[in-house]
Coordinates of all heavy atoms in Angstrom, one line a residue:
G122 N -87.7 211.8 -36.9 CA -87.7 212.5 -38.1 C -86.5 212.2 -39.0 O -86.3 213.0 -40.0
V123 N -85.7 211.2 -38.7 CA -84.5 210.9 -39.6 C -85.0 210.3 -40.9 O -85.9 209.4 -40.9 CB -83.6 209.9 -38.8 CG1 -82.5 209.4 -39.8 CG2 -82.9 210.6 -37.6
V124 N -84.4 210.7 -42.0 CA -84.7 210.2 -43.3 C -83.4 209.8 -43.9 O -82.5 210.7 -44.1 CB -85.5 211.2 -44.2 CG1 -85.6 210.6 -45.6 CG2 -86.8 211.5 -43.6
I125 N -83.2 208.6 -44.3 CA -82.1 208.1 -45.1 C -82.6 207.4 -46.3 O -83.2 206.4 -46.2 CB -81.1 207.2 -44.3 CG1 -80.6 207.9 -43.0 CG2 -80.0 206.7 -45.1 CD1 -79.8 207.0 -42.1
R126 N -82.4 208.0 -47.5 CA -82.9 207.4 -48.7 C -82.0 206.3 -49.2 O -80.8 206.5 -49.3 CB -83.0 208.5 -49.8 CG -83.9 209.6 -49.4 CD -84.0 210.8 -50.4 NE -84.9 210.4 -51.5 CZ -85.1 211.2 -52.5 NH1 -84.5 212.3 -52.6 NH2 -85.9 210.8 -53.5
P127 N -82.6 205.2 -49.5 CA -81.7 204.1 -50.1 C -81.1 204.4 -51.4 O -81.7 205.3 -52.1 CB -82.8 202.9 -50.2 CG -83.9 203.3 -49.4 CD -84.0 204.8 -49.4
P128 N -80.0 203.8 -51.8 CA -79.4 202.7 -51.0 C -78.5 203.2 -49.9 O -77.9 204.3 -50.0 CB -78.5 202.0 -52.1 CG -78.2 203.1 -53.1 CD -79.4 204.0 -53.1
L129 N -78.4 202.4 -48.9 CA -77.5 202.7 -47.7 C -76.5 201.5 -47.6 O -77.0 200.4 -47.7 CB -78.4 202.8 -46.5 CG -77.6 202.8 -45.1 CD1 -76.7 204.1 -45.0 CD2 -78.6 202.8 -44.0
R130 N -75.3 201.8 -47.4 CA -74.3 200.8 -47.2 C -73.6 201.0 -45.8 O -73.2 202.2 -45.5 CB -73.2 200.8 -48.3 CG -73.8 200.6 -49.6 CD -74.1 199.1 -49.9 NE -74.5 198.9 -51.2 CZ -75.7 198.3 -51.5 NH1 -76.5 197.9 -50.5 NH2 -76.0 198.1 -52.7
V131 N -73.4 200.0 -45.0 CA -72.8 200.0 -43.7 C -71.9 198.8 -43.6 O -72.1 197.8 -44.2 CB -73.8 200.1 -42.6 CG1 -74.7 201.3 -42.7 CG2 -74.6 198.8 -42.5
D132 N -70.9 198.9 -42.6 CA -70.2 197.7 -42.3 C -71.0 196.9 -41.3 O -71.1 195.7 -41.4 CB -68.8 198.1 -41.7 CG -67.7 198.2 -42.7 OD1 -67.7 197.4 -43.7 OD2 -66.8 199.0 -42.5
F133 N -71.5 197.5 -40.2 CA -72.2 196.9 -39.2 C -73.6 197.5 -38.9 O -74.5 196.8 -38.7 CB -71.4 196.8 -37.9 CG -70.1 196.1 -38.1 CD1 -68.9 196.9 -38.0 CD2 -70.0 194.8 -38.3 CE1 -67.7 196.2 -38.1 CE2 -68.8 194.2 -38.5 CZ -67.6 194.9 -38.4
G134 N -73.6 198.8 -38.9 CA -74.9 199.5 -38.6 C -75.0 199.9 -37.1 O -75.3 201.0 -36.8
W135 N -74.7 199.0 -36.2 CA -74.9 199.2 -34.8 C -73.9 200.3 -34.2 O -74.0 200.7 -33.1 CB -74.8 198.0 -34.0 CG -73.7 197.0 -34.3 CD1 -73.8 195.9 -35.0 CD2 -72.3 197.1 -33.9 NE1 -72.6 195.3 -35.1 CE2 -71.7 196.0 -34.4 CE3 -71.6 198.0 -33.1 CZ2 -70.3 195.8 -34.2 CZ3 -70.3 197.8 -32.9 CH2 -69.6 196.7 -33.5
N136 N -72.9 200.7 -35.0 CA -71.9 201.6 -34.5 C -72.2 203.0 -35.1 O -71.3 203.9 -35.1 CB -70.5 201.2 -35.0 CG -69.5 201.3 -33.9 OD1 -69.8 201.7 -32.8 ND2 -68.3 200.8 -34.2
I137 N -73.5 203.3 -35.5 CA -73.9 204.5 -36.1 C -75.0 205.1 -35.3 O -76.0 204.5 -34.9 CB -74.4 204.4 -37.6 CG1 -73.3 203.8 -38.5 CG2 -74.9 205.7 -38.1 CD1 -73.8 203.3 -39.8
R138 N -74.9 206.4 -34.9 CA -75.9 207.2 -34.2 C -76.2 208.4 -35.0 O -75.4 209.1 -35.4 CB -75.3 207.6 -32.8 CG -74.8 206.4 -32.0 CD -74.2 206.8 -30.7 NE -75.2 207.3 -29.8 CZ -76.0 206.5 -29.1 NH1 -75.9 205.2 -29.2 NH2 -76.9 207.0 -28.2
V139 N -77.6 208.6 -35.2 CA -78.0 209.7 -36.0 C -79.0 210.5 -35.2 O -80.0 210.0 -34.7 CB -78.7 209.2 -37.3 CG1 -79.1 210.4 -38.2 CG2 -77.8 208.2 -38.1
G140 N -78.8 211.9 -35.2 CA -79.6 212.8 -34.4 C -80.9 213.1 -35.1 O -81.1 212.9 -36.3
D141 N -81.8 213.7 -34.3 CA -83.2 214.1 -34.8 C -83.1 214.9 -36.1 O -82.2 215.8 -36.2 CB -83.9 215.0 -33.7 CG -84.2 214.2 -32.5 OD1 -84.3 212.9 -32.5 OD2 -84.4 214.8 -31.4
R142 N -84.1 214.7 -36.9 CA -84.3 215.5 -38.2 C -83.2 215.5 -39.2 O -83.1 216.3 -40.0 CB -84.7 216.9 -37.8 CG -86.0 217.0 -36.9 CD -86.2 218.4 -36.4 NE -85.1 218.9 -35.7 CZ -84.8 218.6 -34.4 NH1 -85.5 217.8 -33.7 NH2 -83.7 219.1 -33.8
S143 N -82.3 214.6 -39.1 CA -81.2 214.5 -40.0 C -81.6 213.8 -41.3 O -82.5 212.9 -41.3 CB -79.9 213.8 -39.4 OG -79.3 214.6 -38.5
F144 N -81.0 214.2 -42.4 CA -81.4 213.7 -43.7 C -80.2 213.2 -44.5 O -79.2 214.0 -44.6 CB -82.2 214.8 -44.5 CG -82.4 214.4 -45.9 CD1 -83.5 213.6 -46.3 CD2 -81.6 214.8 -47.0 CE1 -83.8 213.3 -47.6 CE2 -81.8 214.5 -48.3 CZ -82.9 213.7 -48.6
A145 N -80.3 212.1 -45.1 CA -79.2 211.6 -46.0 C -79.8 211.2 -47.3 O -80.7 210.4 -47.4 CB -78.4 210.4 -45.4
N146 N -79.3 211.8 -48.4 CA -79.8 211.5 -49.7 C -79.3 210.2 -50.2 O -78.5 209.5 -49.5 CB -79.5 212.6 -50.7 CG -80.5 212.9 -51.7 OD1 -81.1 211.9 -52.2 ND2 -80.7 214.1 -52.1
F147 N -79.6 209.8 -51.4 CA -79.2 208.5 -52.0 C -77.7 208.2 -51.9 O -76.9 209.0 -52.1 CB -79.6 208.4 -53.5 CG -81.0 208.7 -53.8 CD1 -81.4 209.9 -54.4 CD2 -82.0 207.8 -53.5 CE1 -82.7 210.1 -54.7 CE2 -83.3 208.1 -53.8 CZ -83.7 209.2 -54.4
G148 N -77.4 206.9 -51.6 CA -76.1 206.4 -51.7 C -75.1 206.7 -50.5 O -73.9 206.7 -50.7
L149 N -75.6 206.9 -49.3 CA -74.7 207.0 -48.2 C -74.0 205.8 -47.9 O -74.6 204.7 -47.8 CB -75.5 207.4 -46.9 CG -74.7 207.5 -45.6 CD1 -73.7 208.6 -45.7 CD2 -75.7 207.8 -44.4
V150 N -72.7 205.9 -47.8 CA -71.8 204.8 -47.4 C -71.2 205.2 -46.0 O -70.5 206.2 -45.9 CB -70.6 204.5 -48.4 CG1 -69.7 203.5 -47.8 CG2 -71.2 204.1 -49.7
A151 N -71.6 204.4 -45.0 CA -71.1 204.7 -43.6 C -70.4 203.5 -43.1 O -71.1 202.6 -42.5 CB -72.3 205.2 -42.7
L152 N -69.1 203.4 -43.3 CA -68.4 202.3 -42.8 C -68.0 202.4 -41.4 O -67.1 203.1 -41.0 CB -67.1 202.1 -43.7 CG -67.4 201.9 -45.2 CD1 -66.2 201.6 -46.0 CD2 -68.5 200.8 -45.4
D153 N -68.8 201.8 -40.5 CA -68.8 202.0 -39.1 C -68.0 201.0 -38.3 O -68.5 200.4 -37.3 CB -70.2 202.1 -38.6 CG -71.0 200.8 -38.8 OD1 -70.9 200.2 -39.9 OD2 -71.8 200.5 -37.9
V154 N -66.8 200.7 -38.7 CA -65.9 199.9 -37.9 C -65.6 200.6 -36.5 O -65.6 199.9 -35.5 CB -64.6 199.6 -38.6 CG1 -63.6 198.8 -37.7 CG2 -64.9 198.8 -39.9
A155 N -65.4 201.9 -36.5 CA -65.4 202.7 -35.3 C -66.7 203.5 -35.3 O -67.4 203.6 -36.4 CB -64.2 203.6 -35.4
P156 N -67.1 204.1 -34.2 CA -68.3 204.8 -34.1 C -68.4 206.0 -35.1 O -67.4 206.7 -35.4 CB -68.4 205.4 -32.7 CG -67.5 204.5 -31.9 CD -66.4 204.0 -32.9
I157 N -69.6 206.2 -35.7 CA -70.0 207.3 -36.5 C -71.1 208.0 -35.8 O -72.2 207.4 -35.6 CB -70.4 206.9 -37.9 CG1 -69.2 206.3 -38.7 CG2 -70.9 208.1 -38.7 CD1 -69.6 205.7 -40.1

């Protein structure tokens, strides 16, 4: 049930973990050099 509305910006992506039913509106920047 995770919803992340584009645009989304990441450094890598694989260092991000998102729990059930979480929602991110437009324009999330998640710079995941370390875990998020």
